[in-house]
Amino acid sequence: MSDAPIGIFDSGVGGLTVERAIRRRLPAESTVYLGDTARVPYGPKSPETVRRYAREAAAFLLSCDVKLIVIACNTATARAADDVAARVATPVVGVIEPGSREAVRRSRTGRIGVIGTRGTIESGCYERLIKELRPEAMVVATPCPLFVSLVEEGWLDGEVPRLTARRYLEPLLQRDIDTLVLGCTHYPLLEPMLSDVARGVELIDSAEATAAAVEGRLGELGLRSTTDAPTSRYYVTDDTERFRQVAELFLGGRVGSLERVSLSSSA
Ligand code: DGL
């Protein structure tokens, strides 16, 4: 079982930031990545719909005999991680708890901003967890829905991304945040531009923190891989070539084994 792959899913390509962090930190682990590209974005969808999608994604990963499921999508973690974890025997790791812990650890003043999709922000998940971990924290959260489209277009910097970032971040900066959680898989790609717009604010990318959480969980369960020939497989629910193009932007490298699959209602 310990040489079985880690299953990772996201609504699309964004979760590759998490997949890459896992592969870097745990080079002996095999991975199976599922991007539900036929149904992206999850951000504006209702909680029930996201829960259904997440259940189907988890079922697909289980059919690949994974030893652990990583929900690399913030929206799916916010809306569906508890539901998925209650239904499957395989351990489940989401991105919100590791990101929240990291924010609490790194913030000096306890004034923490959170940005994400509408679904993630409406769920109040980050605020709840951060407050649980640090009750005196001041948390200010705002959705930044246009960021996902900018990243998908490859507009990572320039006049339009900067103007958009200034409009979204102004209310948070006015509240003197010292830490900003990038609570969406796509936002780490905007990090160089965001760190300039939010100068002096510590940016938290939950990908690294999630990879550390995966390492910890596998260690606790005695499931660390011992193979010296790990594999990485990729599945999508829509066109593979579009995924390949955007994935190369995310990963900065080639995507190897890539196949299109149907989840029950994505066909
Ligand atoms: N993966 C989503 C997230 O991290 C962003 C894209 C979407 O809306 O599906 O929330």
Side-chain angles (χ1 to χ4, degrees), residues 2 19 43 45 49 51 54 62 64 77 88 94 101 108 123 126 133 141 147 164 185 196 218 229 235 240 242 249 254:
S2 60
E19 190 252 6
K45 304 223 162 74
T49 299
R51 274 198 287 278
L62 292 175
C64 300
T77 302
V88 303
R101 285 192 186 281
R108 283 167 293 104
S123 78
Y126 273 107
L133 296 164
F147 281 170
T164 311
T185 48
D196 198 29
L218 290 178
Y235 295 94
T240 50
R242 171 78 185 135
L249 174 74
R254 295 283 302 153

Side-chain angles (χ1 to χ4, degrees), residues 148-214:
V148 170
S149 316
L150 288 172
V151 170
E152 294 272 344
E153 280 303 310
W155 288 22
L156 306 183
D157 204 343
E159 204 183 338
V160 174
R162 276 176 188 261
L163 194 63
T164 311
R166 276 199 286 274
R167 283 285 283 276
Y168 281 144
L169 298 187
E170 195 176 82
L172 282 71
L173 298 174
Q174 273 173 1
R175 306 281 301 275
D176 277 333
I177 55 164
D178 78 336
T179 303
L180 178 65
V181 181
L182 308 181
C184 173
T185 48
H186 286 58
Y187 300 176
L189 278 113
L190 298 168
E191 198 167 336
M193 183 273 291
L194 291 175
S195 62
D196 198 29
V197 171
R199 227 171 259 166
V201 173
E202 180 107 47
L203 302 184
I204 307 293
D205 164 1
S206 46
E208 295 301 329
T210 303
V214 168

Side-chain angles (χ1 to χ4, degrees), residues 26 36 63 95 98 104 139 153 156 175 214 219 223 249 258 265:
L26 303 167
D36 191 5
S63 77
V95 281
V104 164
V139 185
E153 280 303 310
L156 306 183
R175 306 281 301 275
V214 168
L223 286 178
L249 174 74
L258 172 62
S265 58

Side-chain angles (χ1 to χ4, degrees), residues 101-151:
R101 285 192 186 281
E102 190 61 11
V104 164
R105 195 178 69 77
R106 301 243 294 262
S107 173
R108 283 167 293 104
T109 61
R111 302 181 73 83
I112 299 172
V114 180
I115 54 176
T117 65
R118 282 200 197 290
T120 299
I121 301 304
E122 268 171 32
S123 78
C125 260
Y126 273 107
E127 271 148 299
R128 245 189 332 273
L129 256 165
I130 292 170
K131 289 271 198 190
E132 250 171 63
L133 296 164
R134 188 162 170 179
E136 80 289 0
M138 189 277 316
V139 185
V140 42
T142 194
C144 302
L146 292 176
F147 281 170
V148 170
S149 316
L150 288 172
V151 170

Side-chain angles (χ1 to χ4, degrees), residues 14-56:
L16 289 172
T17 52
V18 177
E19 190 252 6
R20 182 178 51 184
I22 291 173
R23 284 196 295 116
R24 276 203 195 133
R25 190 175 186 107
L26 303 167
E29 299 293 340
S30 293
T31 53
V32 175
Y33 182 90
L34 171 67
D36 191 5
T37 47
R39 305 190 292 196
V40 70
Y42 283 9
K45 304 223 162 74
S46 70
E48 302 73 45
T49 299
V50 176
R51 274 198 287 278
R52 177 162 54 83
Y53 292 174
R55 281 202 290 271
E56 290 173 1

Side-chain angles (χ1 to χ4, degrees), residues 69-80:
I69 294 174
V70 180
I71 306 184
C73 174
N74 286 261
T75 309
T77 302
R79 297 300 201 190

